[in-house]
Amino acid sequence: MSINILMPALSPTMTEGNLAKWHKNEGDTVSAGDVIAEIETDKATMEVEAVDEGVLGKIVIASGSENVKVNAVIGVLLEEGESAGDIGDAAPAAAPAATAETAPADADVEAKTEEAAPAATVSAPAAKPVAAEKEFTGPTTSTTVRDALRDAMAEEMRGDENVFLMGEEVGQYQGAYKVSQGLLDEFGEMRVIDTPITEHGFTGLGVGAAFAGLKPIVEFMTFNFAMQAMDHLINSAAKTNYMSGGQMGCPAVFRGPNGAAARVGAQHSQCYASWYAHVPGLYVLAPYSAADAKGLLKSAIRDPNPVIFLENEILYGQSFDVPDDDDWTVPIGKAKIVREGSDVTITAFSVMVGHALAAAEELSKQGIEAEVIDLRTLRPLDTETIVNSVKKTNRIVSVEEGWPVAGMGSEIAAIMMEEAFDWLDAPLKRVCAVDVPLPYAANLEKLALPQVADVVTAAKAVCYAD
Amino acid sequence: MATAPKSAASKAKGGKGKAKTKAAPRSRTAKPKANADELLKYYRDMLLIRRFEERAGQMYGMGLIGGFCHLYIGQEAVVVGMQAAIDERDAVVTSYRDHGHMLACGMDPKGVMAELTGRIGGYSKGKGGSMHMFSKEKNFYGGHGIVGAQVPIGTGLAFAAKYKKTGGVSLTYLGDGAVNQGQVNEAFNMAELWDLPVIYVIENNRYGMGTSVARASAAKELYRLGEPYGMPGEQVDGMDVLAVHAAAEKAVKHCRDGNGPYVLEMLTYRYRGHSMSDPAKYRTKEEVSDMRDNHDPIANLSKVIVESGSKTEADLKEMDKEVRAIVVEAAEFAQESPEPDPSELYTDVLVEA
């Protein structure tokens, strides 16, 4: 059966081009891979190679022809035993059915686009309900956030031999911030691995190990250094399960301190919450209390998805009551109302929850009862808890340590517009870091970071209580 | 090949606190041998990749395949020779010029082609495309679109093999363009530091997109890039499947025996452009035709087979027909398989716990 040679496209956007030159004449034998013609567009010249073998029976479009449509028949190839006489009216019919029907001639492309339009209206599935947090009524022990994180890792490593910890100074040094104190002694150097200072490399290595079924906990000495590893966190860890049609998940936890510490300057003092919260395929957690730090880290290690776990250096030394239960966890995706109130909702996460609580005490003295929500999970955000609170208080202030532009507060403001607009009695206010790189000077640093007084001022403003 | 393949950098491996000795030259791998069945298998596997890629190129020209499409034509001997040296314990990962690697791993041509056309029957349900396909079942870990990113990932696969004591080796492929990425050197360092069983297969096809190795790399002998870390390396004629296989056997043994990583530089050539829209003005027609006419891995192996008397040219032609039929079937499947259901838009973002 004769085979039609079609005008090829050089790129998905090409619709026509010039047939500059035939390299073969009618009657020439053609093998697969032979260059048979040259085509050109305004951008490039390309050689057309034969895919099939046979004899060039007929040249349909001559050398030098301009504006030849993609997929137009430019020649006919005869297979063994055929002659040019066989072409006749057989040629058009011989075009592979699929070619004729699915070739994207311009009209077809448009038709396809329209056909595809309904797909765009498919709505996202409703968020899966998150299991309610188990209320813990048993005994508790006052524990620092630092030790709670260590205990979470140790317990999960005892329970699952595929869990291991890697990062800079996690082993012999016992952790740059002593979070991994004692783990090397208990689990040995195969499971507590000191890496070179090579964030991009060891993050990619951790992702590969996770693809192969291990459960790495990758510690960044601080999240500032994870910018070196951003490509693996986003392109490799977050996207691969989707790109593989669900075959290859990345059960890894990437953790370390995030945000400002104390007077360490601009390069060591950035909050990355909204950067990661932007990315589908990741969970992003940012606990405040030691109990949540432990319960969420345990959930993160057990989860089959990549988790960004944002800690805070200032919080490491603070103590909170933690349940005496090795199997106690906190569900991912659930915010927590840490103080009930009826006049204004204040959302915060990580170290800023402390500021929000202190502000609430101050506001209470002035007759305003604030409801403080510890977001805990930033992706997926527990919008239900926030919206329900706003339905009660009708006012909201968002507090974060990061910059204002495209920050978590911006996202919460958008959610309020979309889901709680009719319940609001005042526009939302954001309390954020000032929109500058963090300065070193003590007075300027204080001015740049959100303070308790800023939260009080914002809350009073949305209550029109000035 | 213009340059004769070379070998370098053996090292003494000791126990803990070992003193890394200076690299000493190592002689070239002995002339490889293979039996008739092996030769025929290599031939068929290479032919399948060649015919598959030709068809993919044609379908791209017809608008059935979109986006980026990087063909492997010319480089077939590399994956076929490497793959023949590994077993089911071993993992494979590569960049975005990945169709040949998937076929060599035994992935179904239908599933690969249907992914190229963006259909539900593709390995990633049409959500990955040419550059992003995976098969957990065949230990193929992608399919990565960022130059060099697969190298730490492949090193992590080796880490997992060592951690779980599976005896597995990671074949981590990268191009000559990737070697200058920082993360490649970061991975080399960790692999040697921790004696990980990974073979870095550098497919040197002379051009990273349009930039020749000479213009991109201060170090021209890519097989020596592991030397500063104490990693042995060898340069191999990547157009000769037997030479590739012999080098692969040696490297795999090195890794399986717990001696740490290994570098193989495959001197190879891609006949087509970097991607479909590459006019390839950075090299001469004479250079391309010299490689095709005098160094083609498939044509050369067919001569070896015919001269050995085990098969005639007619036999090989018959095999070509069988292979073409497989590719035609794959192409038909790839066009008949439906587009993914719109509901697939939202699936697989996260693994359901």
Side-chain angles (χ1 to χ4, degrees):
Chain A
M1 213 169 63
S2 58
I3 296 165
N4 286 345
I5 303 166
L6 306 179
M7 180 73 175
L10 302 185
S11 69
T13 50
M14 175 178 159
T15 56
E16 59 179 33
N18 303 334
L19 205 169
K21 191 176 165 192
W22 278 97
H23 282 273
K24 298 276 179 184
N25 297 312
E26 288 184 359
D28 285 356
T29 304
V30 172
S31 302
D34 283 357
V35 175
I36 52 173
E38 255 174 49
I39 59 170
E40 55 184 33
T41 66
D42 53 343
K43 281 187 284 192
T45 303
M46 284 276 283
E47 293 172 338
V48 181
E49 293 180 3
V51 178
D52 301 289
E53 58 187 8
V55 171
L56 185 58
K58 190 175 176 186
I59 288 176
V60 177
I61 293 183
S63 291
S65 299
E66 295 189 348
N67 306 326
V68 181
K69 295 273 183 226
V70 165
N71 278 321
V73 176
I74 58 173
V76 181
L77 199 64
L78 301 172
E79 289 190 291
E80 258 180 329
E82 290 178 326
S83 70
D86 295 336
I87 300 174
D89 47 348
T99 312
E101 283 165 18
T102 59
D106 289 3
D108 283 2
V109 169
E110 277 165 32
K112 260 197 160 167
T113 314
E114 272 173 35
E115 240 174 73
T121 64
V122 169
S123 54
K128 293 242 158 57
V130 179
E133 188 173 346
K134 278 186 288 177
E135 201 174 330
F136 189 82
T137 50
T140 59
T141 303
S142 176
T143 311
T144 61
V145 170
R146 173 183 287 115
D147 290 347
L149 291 167
R150 192 264 324 276
D151 292 348
M153 290 191 283
E155 287 167 17
E156 295 307 303
M157 287 174 78
R158 280 172 211 135
D160 183 349
E161 62 181 20
N162 284 332
V163 180
F164 69 96
L165 172 67
M166 66 188 291
E168 293 155 10
E169 310 290 6
V170 299
Q172 293 189 14
Y173 196 92
Q174 308 291 327
Y177 296 99
K178 299 287 177 280
V179 173
S180 53
Q181 185 109 40
L183 295 184
L184 176 65
D185 289 344
E186 180 173 354
F187 299 102
E189 58 186 13
M190 196 63 215
R191 296 183 69 193
V192 180
I193 298 150
D194 281 321
T195 66
I197 301 167
T198 186
E199 282 85 5
H200 197 179
F202 73 66
T203 303
L205 190 150
V207 171
F211 287 164
L214 296 183
K215 307 196 82 179
I217 304 168
V218 177
E219 176 175 309
F220 293 117
M221 192 180 287
T222 82
F223 261 93
N224 301 286
F225 312 142
M227 272 201 287
Q228 296 265 4
M230 205 46 128
D231 178 59
H232 278 299
L233 294 171
I234 311 300
N235 274 320
S236 305
K239 295 181 186 173
T240 298
N241 194 58
Y242 193 81
M243 295 195 302
S244 66
Q247 289 184 74
M248 208 157 283
C250 180
V253 178
F254 304 95
R255 51 156 288 272
N258 170 67
R263 306 204 49 206
V264 291
Q267 290 185 338
H268 287 69
S269 305
Q270 189 173 333
C271 174
Y272 291 89
S274 74
W275 286 41
Y276 294 107
H278 185 63
V279 182
L282 295 177
Y283 284 137
V284 183
L285 311 183
Y288 165 65
S289 75
D292 286 347
K294 185 180 178 193
L296 279 171
L297 184 53
K298 287 167 72 77
S299 292
I301 294 168
R302 293 178 191 186
D303 197 275
N305 293 292
V307 180
I308 302 290
F309 196 91
L310 304 171
E311 300 163 7
N312 185 282
E313 189 193 327
I314 307 287
L315 289 176
Y316 280 149
Q318 296 188 20
S319 295
F320 300 81
D321 287 338
V322 176
D324 296 338
D325 179 355
D326 284 4
D327 208 35
W328 182 81
T329 61
V330 172
I332 292 171
K334 221 35 182 182
K336 184 178 189 179
I337 296 170
V338 289
R339 182 189 194 279
E340 292 198 15
S342 52
D343 300 330
V344 56
T345 299
I346 303 175
T347 66
F349 56 93
S350 190
V351 70
M352 286 296 127
V353 174
H355 282 39
L357 287 169
E361 290 310 308
E362 177 58 32
L363 288 164
S364 182
K365 287 178 200 156
Q366 301 181 32
I368 296 171
E369 293 303 328
E371 179 146 296
V372 178
I373 298 177
D374 179 354
L375 296 174
R376 302 196 296 189
T377 297
L378 304 179
R379 184 184 187 92
L381 206 53
D382 181 0
T383 49
E384 189 187 358
T385 296
I386 306 168
V387 169
N388 285 344
S389 176
V390 168
K391 284 180 179 175
K392 181 170 73 174
T393 64
N394 311 114
R395 298 159 201 278
I396 180 166
V397 170
S398 150
V399 185
E400 70 189 299
E401 205 184 46
W403 291 309
V405 179
M408 291 308 303
S410 314
E411 176 63 17
I412 292 170
I415 291 167
M416 290 302 103
M417 292 298 285
E418 290 171 344
E419 298 187 29
F421 183 76
D422 290 338
W423 299 89
L424 286 174
D425 286 345
L428 170 145
K429 270 214 175 294
R430 290 178 289 170
V431 177
C432 304
V434 172
D435 203 12
V436 299
L438 197 71
Y440 166 73
N443 63 327
L444 295 183
E445 185 188 65
K446 197 172 173 198
L447 285 169
L449 293 172
Q451 306 297 324
V452 174
D454 300 324
V455 182
V456 172
T457 304
K460 286 169 72 176
V462 299
C463 292
Y464 302 124
D466 283 325
Chain B
M1 306 296 298
T3 19
K6 295 167 193 163
S7 161
S10 173
K11 64 170 178 181
K13 275 275 182 186
K16 254 193 146 177
K18 64 205 169 188
K20 303 260 178 180
T21 57
K22 221 175 165 189
R26 185 214 297 261
S27 66
R28 199 191 153 185
T29 308
K31 189 70 189 165
K33 290 199 169 58
N35 66 36
D37 286 349
E38 284 167 344
L39 291 179
L40 219 54
K41 182 177 162 27
Y42 300 158
Y43 182 76
R44 195 176 195 280
D45 289 352
M46 289 196 291
L47 202 59
L48 175 64
I49 295 171
R50 175 75 53 96
R51 297 292 175 247
F52 182 96
E53 293 289 67
E54 286 167 352
R55 183 67 59 174
Q58 185 194 40
M59 288 170 67
Y60 190 92
M62 289 156 62
L64 294 167
I65 296 171
F68 292 121
C69 187
H70 307 87
L71 301 181
Y72 197 63
I73 296 173
Q75 301 182 211
E76 297 91 343
V78 178
V79 280
V80 169
M82 290 302 305
Q83 195 66 24
I86 64 170
D87 62 37
E88 68 282 351
R89 290 171 290 178
D90 304 321
V92 176
V93 67
T94 188
S95 71
Y96 43 78
R97 195 180 304 285
D98 55 357
H99 311 162
H101 301 71
M102 294 187 277
L103 296 174
C105 283
M107 288 166 66
D108 186 345
K110 287 195 275 196
V112 179
M113 197 69 96
E115 190 60 37
L116 297 183
T117 54
R119 307 303 176 92
I120 191 72
Y123 266 96
S124 300
K125 302 187 202 168
K127 298 200 275 192
S130 165
M131 301 186 287
H132 306 299
M133 272 182 259
F134 308 79
S135 171
K136 199 124 202 183
E137 183 203 349
K138 300 287 183 189
N139 272 343
F140 180 73
Y141 288 85
H144 296 271
I146 306 298
V147 173
Q150 78 278 15
V151 179
I153 290 172
T155 309
L157 297 172
F159 177 91
K162 183 168 182 175
Y163 188 98
K164 294 186 185 173
K165 301 185 176 70
T166 63
V169 170
S170 163
L171 290 196
T172 300
Y173 292 87
L174 60 153
D176 51 86
V179 301
N180 300 309
Q181 284 281 25
Q183 61 178 320
V184 171
N185 294 280
E186 294 184 33
F188 280 11
N189 180 50
M190 287 183 287
E192 184 62 39
L193 195 62
W194 299 334
D195 285 333
L196 301 181
V198 51
I199 302 171
Y200 298 108
V201 186
I202 302 172
E203 298 193 64
N204 180 357
N205 65 19
R206 303 194 201 174
Y207 302 92
M209 197 163 159
T211 303
S212 67
V213 172
R215 293 175 58 226
S217 193
K220 317 292 183 214
E221 298 171 304
L222 307 185
Y223 67 102
R224 296 181 62 188
L225 288 176
E227 254 180 48
Y229 308 100
M231 206 186 297
E234 196 172 326
Q235 195 179 58
V236 182
D237 180 355
M239 303 302 276
D240 177 355
V241 69
L242 299 178
V244 172
H245 183 247
E249 292 270 4
K250 195 161 96 180
V252 168
K253 183 175 187 319
H254 175 93
C255 288
R256 281 221 214 286
D257 289 349
N259 297 313
Y262 205 97
V263 174
L264 290 175
E265 178 192 5
M266 299 292 171
L267 298 176
T268 184
Y269 202 77
R270 78 172 138 71
Y271 297 174
R272 297 291 185 93
H274 165 75
S275 66
M276 295 302 295
S277 49
D278 173 8
K281 292 292 179 208
Y282 45 83
R283 58 188 189 184
T284 63
K285 286 194 165 136
E286 290 71 32
E287 180 181 304
V288 180
S289 52
D290 174 60
M291 292 305 292
R292 298 179 95 133
D293 297 345
N294 303 315
H295 301 282
D296 186 71
I298 298 175
N300 286 350
L301 186 63
S302 82
K303 272 185 224 142
V304 172
I305 292 171
V306 172
E307 277 165 19
S308 76
S310 72
K311 294 283 171 193
T312 64
E313 273 185 37
D315 293 335
L316 295 184
K317 203 156 187 181
E318 195 53 39
M319 183 179 272
D320 193 21
K321 271 193 180 163
E322 287 167 30
V323 166
R324 275 174 195 281
I326 293 170
V327 171
V328 166
E329 197 189 353
E332 282 169 0
F333 176 78
Q335 291 168 69
E336 285 159 8
S337 175
E339 288 189 317
D341 189 87
S343 65
E344 286 291 347
L345 181 61
Y346 293 105
T347 60
D348 307 319
V349 178
L350 293 164
V351 178
E352 299 291 330

